[in-house]
Structures are given as structure tokens and as C-alpha cells.
Amino acid sequence: MTDFKRYTITAALPYANGPLHIGHIAGAYLPADTYVRYLRLRGEDVVFICGSDEHGVAITLGARKEGVQPRAFVDKYHGLMKKAFEDFGISFNIYSRTSNQVHYETAQEFFKKIYDQDLFIEETSDQYFDEQEGIFLADRYIIGTCPNCGNTNAYGDQCEKCGTSLSPKQLINPRSTVSGNTPVLKPTKHWYFPLDKFENWLKEWLIDGHKDWKTNVFGQCKSWLDQGLQPRSITRDLDWGIPVPLPDAKGKVLYVWFDAPIGYISATKELKPNDWEKYWKDPETRLIHFIGKDNIVFHCIIFPSMLKAAGDYILPDNVPANEFLNLEGDKLSTSRNHAVWLHEYLQDLPGRRDELRYVLTSISPETKDADFTWKDYQQKVNSEMVAILGNFVNRVMVLVWKYFDGKVPSEHELPGTDDRRKRVLSLYTQAHTDLNKSVKEMTDALKNFRFREAQFQMLNLARIGNKFLADTEPWKLAKEDMEAVGCILNYALTVVGNIALACEPFLPDGAASIRRQLNSELEKSKSDFWKKEELVHIVLPQHQLGKAELLYRNVEDTEIEKQVERLKKPQQAAAPVATTENAVKPLKPEIVFDDFSKLDIRVGTVTSAEKMEKSNKLLKLRVDDGLGGRTILSGIALHYTPEEMVGKQVTFIANLAPRKMMGIESQGMILMAEDKDGKLKLVQPTDIVSPGSTVS
RNA sequence: GGCGCGGUAGCUCAGGUGGUUAGAGCGUUGGAUUCAUAACCCAAAGGUCGGGGGUUCAACUCCCCCCCGCGCUACCA
């Protein structure tokens, strides 16, 4: 890492449609901030870039739902996130936004640069069009029945119930969320980025060149490359976004994932209008993206290809993506309000920023998904931050005030004539060796993005300090050898000072508190410590210390009980973001009796059932329909086992055109009720009826 | 179904080109201590390293099969 002259560090641009929760923080912003603080302490030239991602259909959808213009909508969430980051102490050099003028220009230039090389593919295809509103419908504006799980509210790009990714044309009964009408297919032109043409280059650059990346990141990328890449459309028909900078592109905007990562560049431009280029084009600059695992593909495959295509840009040197954070054993969920919101945390537990940083780093999902629990939070704060770190600093302060009136005892050689002094000397040597070892391990871990380990080694300094005091027992020596006590406490203060330096990237508030207590900014020692990676001298003899203050307070049971309670009744405090998921689905357009009577609905009895081979969602059912039986495939394998299906009566559409799936023809469709949580339940008559009975 | 990542003490996690009694922190228990936010320090208990095969003088570490978690992907009337 010494080969690089400067650093460009980015943290994923949060999407401006809701507040931030601890999952976001643990995934990207906290590790990035810790790393950046470390670099700054070393004296490196670093820019830490972030901002709100404010385009895309989800924004327009959200705005519509709140009854405001997209602009007002993103203003609100941008403000909310910016403030939460600031209040929490994430130290961006700039927190920008993709709706800025600079970004519009940058993204358009970027597009043009690739366009001028004739790299894009132009293609006209049929897309759904809402005739009443006169607009093309982006994937997410179309809702229909998911062909997989039967969810009647699946989006055109993905069914959020079963997670299947879809294309709008797969939806059954598509309807526009704008007008409620059935959309029609109409041709429209779009531009595609030829990812496939970068496949070989990516393999060389990434697979051959970056085996040093985290295994989860590397493995995921390799998996994608092995599956083969396809051109991706990078424009949309929308009125919110960055206009495609071409004469024949009225009503077209850049697709959000195309413009968002360029936001890193525009934000840098905004921050450094005159010399932004050296942070993006100089090979001696190290570019690092901090993201969550959901973003791996964009940052490791797509964005690098874009940068490569645009030419003369540097590429990410590392992308330390984290896995996900769970909460109390459950996935974080915005719609169920199962989350710890950052702004609420800061309100409910004021002055406890370090506590959240510490706990989130200690369980940082570096290699696998992690779980945040309030009990664990309490335990870690109380038994590690308070009992080990806070207590060590405090007892040193108290001892120095007690025996030396708050004046740093002078350091000097301790003549080691008697056994007692020899013992102190050897304990000092041992402590010093251990401390230096931990400092080295801490910095090594930081360089390799292992923040859990780094923080552990940081806390280890306090552990060693505690042991040093317990072993040397200055309070006993005070009765017989004050000179020795002075030496011991002088050294203990040195350790405290070094802890102030060491904990700065992890616990900035604690670091500040220790500096106040030492009555010194430790300015001169900072870069020394972080560059030499060993204990440094800091405290001057006869220097007057500040007053002792407690670093951290214990977390009481009542404090966390309140938080746990809140999570137990999640529906009460509705999530600040409305989603379609928690609403009862809107009615479909009205039909006439004739429409209904076209359906032949019948009841039959399942005579046999088996799991479809090579499918984990399909069951193959044999249904007695009173007419000799028929085979029906149904995507319910996640809800019913074959065994429990046998003998059950089911309601099915009897005159639906047969459809082949995975080589087998399905002769009908089983009707299911979908519960709020997405669970499917059979629709059955309350009593047994004879097979073939009709429903009307 | 395919692919990726993971499955090690109660909890959070280390580890290893295969080789003496598998490690740490927290928690628990016992002891010691009083400078300190009943904190610190010492010690102990606690694991057939997801399961089953195989290779080997020797596997938690390599190979095969299976199970579980998370993610991507396919099928999805």
C-alpha cells in the first residue's frame, strides 16, 4: 500500500427513498469510515466520497405514493440521510447527491464518451405503454401476477414475494400502477452497454489480477463471469433522471445504475473542482469501494467495464464488500419496520455513538451474515467498553491524581537494584512487548480490511494495561517506593495516550475524551504512531492532566428493554416509507359477468403428488377431476410437501390452456390464497365434494 | 437444480503448505485483590472442528457424497 500516493475511498450511494438503518452502517459506511480515519491519521492524501442516489423508478413511485414531486421526495430523504451521517460522525469529505448539476454534466459526458466510440448497441423493442397516461411503463410500474408464486402484486422486474426476477412480459394480467389499466406493447428505442465485449478483459483484470479480494467477492464475480455476460440496457423512458444527451432521445433518461456510480466521480469533481482528475485518472491513486454484498456486481463488473470503456480512468483496487446484518435473528425489513433506524438510535440513546460503532464493528459481517441483538449490545458495551477500556483509563487517571495531584510524574530510569524494582522492570518489558505486538497486529488488520480483528487488538491495549497495573500494584508500592510508582504511572499514562491514538478510527468520541483528560491534543504523536506502528512517547513530565471523566456508562436493562419492546410490535410505529407490500392489493379493473363465466373452476382431489425434478418450486400433482384425472403443475413446493398434498381437495381452473413447464404439460392451475406474509394456502370447499364439482 | 460464500467451545469469531494436549474474547464457576464504573488480575470447566465415507503412518485441515444458513441464477399458467 505504500506504492500509492493517494486514496479515493467511496461508500455505496444510499438510495434516497428511506432512512438509514444499522444494516447500511455495518455494511459499508462504518468500515469505510474506520478505514478512512486510519488513512488520515497516517497522513495520507485521501478523499472519502458519498452521496444520495436519487434517480430511478422507485423514487418516482415513492414520490407518487407520498403525493409529492420526485424533487421534493429526494430532498427530504437526502436531508434525512445527510443529517444522520453527520450526527453519527461518518467523516465524508463530501456527501453529495446525484440530482446535482455537476452530476448531470458528468454522467452525460461519460455517456457521450462511450457513445462516440460506437460501443453502445441501439435496439428497438416492444415495451408496455400506458395509453391513458401516454407514457412507457418502466418495469416497476407494471404489476401483475407472478408466474412463479402466484403473487398478484409482483413487479415487472421482480416478484418481491418469491424473489424471482422477471421481465414485464412474463407477468400474468399486467396492469399499470399509474392508471390501473392494462398496458399495451409498443416499440421503443434504447441503448445497451455491451458487457459481453468486456468479458475477456474482466477475466484478465479481475480473475487473474485480483485474487487478493475477499473470497465472497471474488467467488461471486467468478460465478457471474462463468455464466457469461449480456448487454444491459442503460436507458429508460422516464421523466425523472438524467436525459440521454442525444438529439433523438426525447423522453429518455439514463438508467439509474448507470448514472449512480458515476456519482462518485461527480462528487469528487464537486469537492475538488480543480484537481479531481488525479483522484480518478492517476494510476498512483488507489480506488476502493466499500459496499454491501448486494452491490458486488455493479462495482466489480459493470462499473469497471464502464470506466474501462470511457478510457483513462483508474479501476478499483479493492472492493471489500460485507455480507448482511440481521437483527434479533431476523432479516432487517423496512416494510415490517424490523430495523434499528440510525436517526432513532441517536435520539433514543444520545451520546452513545461510539457504543454503536464498537458493537457493529465487533460483529461486522465480514465473512458471513451477522446478527445484532440488543442483549449482545449491552453485554459488549458493559463488559468490554466500560469494564476494560473505560475502566483502565479511569484508574490510571485516578491514580495519578491521587498520588501526583494530576501532574505527570517524571519518567526516568528506574535503578533496578532490589528485587522489587527488578520485578517492575521485567513487567514493564513484558507489557511493552505485548503492546507493540498488538499495535502491529491492529495496523495489519486495518490494511486488510479486517476491522473486527483490528478493533480487538485495539482493545487489547487496554487489557494489557490493566494487567500491567494489576501486576505492578502501584497502590501498594506507594507506601514504600514513590519513585517506582512514578515510573509505573508515567508508563501507564503513555499507554493511555497511545490508546487515545489507537482508538481514534474506531471510537472517535472516546479518543476525544481521553485527549481532554490528558489535556493534550497529541497532535505531534498521531502520524508517528500510525506510521511507525508502535507505541510512541507522548506525555510530558510535569504536564498537568485534565479532570478524569468516565469514558462510557453501563447500559442498563431498561434501556435495551425499551428497544426490544419496540421491535416486538413492529406494525405500531409504521415504517417511514410506504411500500406496496404492506397494503392490501388494489382492485383489478372491473369485469362483466361474461368475463367471469369464461372461467371453468372445479374442485378435484389430489391422488398423487411428487416434487418436480430440477425444480424447487414446482410440484407435479395428479388430480382426480371426475373425468379420468389430469396433471397439474403448481409452484407451491415451498408451501406444501408432496405427502401432505395427497388426498387434499383443490380448486382449479379447468379450462386454462395447457402449458408445458420443464418438459411436462400442466393441465390447469390450482387456486391459492396468498397471506400477508406471502404464504400460500389452498382454497378448498369446507366439506368434501365429489371430484369434478364446478364452482360458480 | 446450477453456482458462490459459510457451518469450529453457551455467544462472537481466529486458525491450518495435513503432524505434539484445537485457540481468543465475552459468558459461567472458583480464587486473589481494592487504584478503579462490584470493575481489574489469576485459574478452571466447556468442543468427537455440520454428518458420512475415502486418501494417508497421521485430517478439523486434501478428495467424494449428504445436511443446514445466506446470496446469485434457472424453472415458475
Side-chain angles (χ1 to χ4, degrees):
Chain A
M1 71 188 288
T2 39
D3 298 332
F4 291 98
K5 268 196 182 150
R6 67 188 74 74
Y7 292 77
T8 300
I9 311 293
T10 75
L13 304 186
Y15 201 56
N17 71 339
L20 295 160
H21 56 58
I22 55 170
H24 298 121
I25 301 302
Y29 308 106
L30 182 54
D33 187 63
T34 304
Y35 190 69
V36 165
R37 283 171 186 267
Y38 158 66
L39 292 177
R40 290 194 189 119
L41 286 164
R42 278 179 52 116
E44 304 286 351
D45 180 0
V46 40
V47 289
F48 185 17
I49 305 293
C50 196
S52 303
D53 178 8
E54 306 187 322
H55 294 132
V57 187
I59 297 279
T60 58
L61 254 180
R64 187 180 288 267
K65 218 157 269 154
E66 291 189 9
V68 298
Q69 291 300 309
R71 181 81 228 184
F73 184 82
V74 297
D75 278 353
K76 172 180 156 189
Y77 286 111
H78 171 73
L80 202 67
M81 293 195 293
K82 189 168 198 281
K83 180 163 189 316
F85 279 133
E86 269 170 24
D87 291 348
F88 187 52
I90 299 294
S91 59
F92 300 126
N93 288 99
I94 183 168
Y95 186 79
S96 185
R97 55 194 308 187
T98 61
S99 59
N100 270 354
Q101 187 58 34
V102 189
H103 181 246
Y104 270 57
E105 289 161 9
T106 310
Q108 288 181 332
E109 272 169 35
F110 204 100
F111 178 94
K112 279 287 276 182
K113 214 160 177 182
I114 302 177
Y115 178 85
D116 289 341
Q117 301 171 55
D118 267 335
L119 272 172
F120 291 135
I121 303 160
E122 280 181 34
E123 207 170 273
T124 300
S125 63
D126 284 343
Q127 292 206 356
Y128 278 119
F129 184 77
D130 187 318
E131 289 184 301
Q132 183 181 316
E133 300 284 327
I135 52 170
F136 277 100
L137 296 166
D139 295 357
R140 278 189 94 78
Y141 267 122
I142 304 161
I143 288 186
T145 302
C146 172
N148 176 32
C149 67
N151 167 24
T152 53
N153 245 355
Y155 290 111
D157 59 346
Q158 191 188 31
C159 171
E160 307 214 324
K161 281 283 150 34
C162 64
T164 306
S165 57
L166 302 165
S167 80
K169 288 175 206 166
Q170 289 175 275
L171 290 175
I172 312 149
N173 270 327
R175 52 197 198 281
S176 161
T177 59
V178 186
S179 66
N181 294 338
T182 302
V184 297
L185 286 170
K186 221 178 135 171
T188 179
K189 181 162 86 175
H190 282 294
W191 286 262
Y192 292 74
F193 184 81
L195 266 186
D196 48 322
K197 287 188 184 151
F198 291 83
E199 211 172 295
N200 287 333
W201 170 76
L202 278 166
K203 278 181 180 155
E204 201 175 305
W205 168 69
L206 203 162
I207 304 298
D208 299 340
H210 281 293
K211 299 209 192 302
D212 55 320
W213 287 8
K214 288 174 64 172
T215 53
N216 59 336
V217 177
F218 188 84
Q220 185 64 51
C221 291
K222 190 162 182 306
S223 176
W224 271 77
L225 287 171
D226 288 346
Q227 281 170 39
L229 301 175
Q230 251 132 72
R232 299 194 56 147
S233 79
I234 52 158
T235 57
R236 288 294 129 115
D237 293 295
L238 242 197
D239 55 8
W240 174 244
I242 299 173
V244 173
L246 296 174
D248 57 341
K250 259 218 144 28
K252 314 273 180 194
V253 297
L254 299 180
Y255 188 32
V256 60
W257 68 250
F258 185 85
D259 95 64
I262 299 171
Y264 296 139
I265 302 172
S266 356
T268 314
K269 261 190 191 172
E270 196 183 332
L271 177 69
K272 305 245 178 197
N274 299 320
D275 60 349
W276 68 272
E277 279 178 298
K278 72 180 187 192
Y279 291 95
W280 281 95
K281 299 189 173 178
D282 183 343
E284 288 186 309
T285 298
R286 188 175 188 213
L287 173 62
I288 298 171
H289 298 305
F290 282 87
I291 57 169
K293 68 173 160 185
D294 51 331
N295 259 328
I296 290 176
V297 171
F298 293 139
H299 287 80
C300 301
I301 307 273
I302 300 175
F303 189 44
S305 300
M306 287 164 56
L307 290 169
K308 172 79 177 160
D312 69 5
Y313 282 97
I314 53 168
L315 299 163
D317 185 62
N318 210 324
V319 184
N322 265 356
E323 302 283 305
F324 288 149
L325 186 72
N326 293 327
L327 171 60
E328 303 284 355
D330 253 334
K331 270 185 209 183
L332 282 159
S333 161
T334 300
S335 57
R336 286 186 294 124
N337 197 23
H338 186 68
V340 176
W341 303 102
L342 187 59
H343 63 282
E344 285 184 5
Y345 173 89
L346 294 168
Q347 239 170 41
D348 291 357
L349 297 155
R352 289 208 186 271
R353 308 196 298 180
D354 275 5
E355 284 86 335
L356 187 59
R357 289 180 74 110
Y358 181 83
V359 174
L360 289 182
T361 295
S362 75
I363 58 169
S364 183
E366 286 166 9
T367 52
K368 59 183 168 194
D369 290 358
D371 192 29
F372 177 94
T373 69
W374 282 107
K375 189 81 202 130
D376 192 44
Y377 168 91
Q378 181 190 29
Q379 203 165 72
K380 286 204 156 86
V381 171
N382 292 359
S383 64
E384 296 175 27
M385 298 183 78
V386 175
I388 295 171
L389 179 57
N391 186 228
F392 172 65
V393 173
N394 184 242
R395 62 199 298 208
V396 174
M397 288 299 294
V398 169
L399 284 167
V400 176
W401 272 101
K402 179 165 179 176
Y403 296 123
F404 297 95
D405 235 5
K407 279 204 174 65
V408 178
S410 46
E411 57 182 324
H412 52 79
E413 293 295 314
L414 185 64
T417 45
D418 59 30
D419 285 353
R420 197 175 51 217
R421 288 193 164 186
K422 273 186 191 156
R423 184 158 172 277
V424 169
L425 225 47
S426 97
L427 288 167
Y428 154 80
T429 310
Q430 182 57 247
H432 200 66
T433 309
D434 292 346
L435 287 163
N436 275 331
K437 192 169 162 233
S438 273
V439 171
K440 187 77 177 68
E441 279 175 16
M442 173 182 74
T443 50
D444 282 351
L446 278 171
K447 287 175 201 166
N448 292 302
F449 312 109
R450 290 185 290 117
F451 301 105
R452 254 190 340 227
E453 168 72 9
Q455 182 175 258
F456 175 82
Q457 293 300 342
M458 182 276 290
L459 198 75
N460 218 219
L461 304 181
R463 283 195 191 93
I464 297 165
N466 274 321
K467 185 169 163 50
F468 176 68
L469 287 184
D471 288 347
T472 53
E473 299 180 299
W475 50 90
K476 277 189 181 166
L477 283 179
K479 291 165 194 150
E480 38 208 85
D481 188 351
M482 276 312 273
E483 211 182 6
V485 174
C487 285
I488 291 167
L489 291 186
N490 180 285
Y491 186 64
L493 277 169
T494 300
V495 177
V496 169
N498 277 276
I499 287 177
L501 299 172
C503 74
E504 173 93 44
F506 311 96
L507 309 169
D509 291 342
S513 165
I514 301 177
R515 287 198 301 267
R516 275 194 303 276
Q517 295 184 62
L518 293 179
N519 191 23
S520 164
E521 279 306 303
L522 309 175
E523 213 37 74
K524 279 168 274 177
S525 317
K526 273 184 187 170
S527 64
D528 250 21
F529 173 86
W530 288 101
K531 275 183 179 158
K532 288 184 182 161
E533 304 182 355
E534 62 183 29
L535 248 54
V536 291
H537 264 83
I538 28 188
V539 190
L540 302 168
Q542 296 310 304
H543 175 77
Q544 180 64 49
L545 297 181
K547 266 181 62 186
E549 53 185 80
L550 295 181
L551 230 42
Y552 304 107
R553 284 181 301 111
N554 272 309
V555 173
E556 304 301 332
D557 290 347
T558 50
E559 290 180 84
I560 60 161
E561 274 160 15
K562 208 176 118 195
Q563 298 297 326
V564 174
E565 274 312 304
R566 191 185 73 66
L567 288 174
K568 276 185 187 156
K569 29 185 173 174
Q571 301 303 339
Q572 212 169 33
V577 200
T579 71
T580 47
E581 272 178 89
N582 55 6
V584 173
K585 287 154 192 172
L587 292 177
K588 295 179 190 176
E590 185 176 281
I591 60 168
V592 293
F593 182 77
D594 271 359
D595 292 329
F596 165 72
S597 60
K598 285 178 190 163
L599 294 173
D600 193 333
I601 309 173
R602 302 198 179 203
V603 176
T605 306
V606 177
T607 52
S608 69
E610 58 184 287
K611 202 146 186 297
M612 279 286 281
E613 221 169 298
K614 300 205 166 197
S615 161
N616 55 357
K617 289 183 182 158
L618 279 182
L619 286 189
K620 180 177 159 194
L621 307 172
R622 188 72 195 162
V623 178
D624 179 2
D625 57 0
L627 298 165
R630 62 170 73 203
T631 298
I632 300 180
L633 305 187
S634 184
I636 56 173
L638 296 174
H639 306 273
Y640 288 95
T641 64
E643 294 72 38
E644 59 185 337
M645 282 304 293
V646 175
K648 285 224 159 74
Q649 290 217 302
V650 294
T651 311
F652 63 95
I653 311 285
N655 62 338
L656 190 65
R659 166 78 174 227
K660 241 186 173 178
M661 280 181 283
M662 306 194 74
I664 304 235
E665 189 176 80
S666 177
Q667 302 153 323
M669 173 174 164
I670 309 278
L671 299 186
M672 307 293 294
E674 184 192 357
D675 205 355
K676 200 174 184 178
D677 58 4
K679 293 250 164 63
L680 297 182
K681 305 285 178 198
L682 289 173
V683 176
Q684 296 175 305
T686 50
D687 294 302
I688 304 290
V689 300
S690 57
S693 300
T694 57
V695 176
S696 58

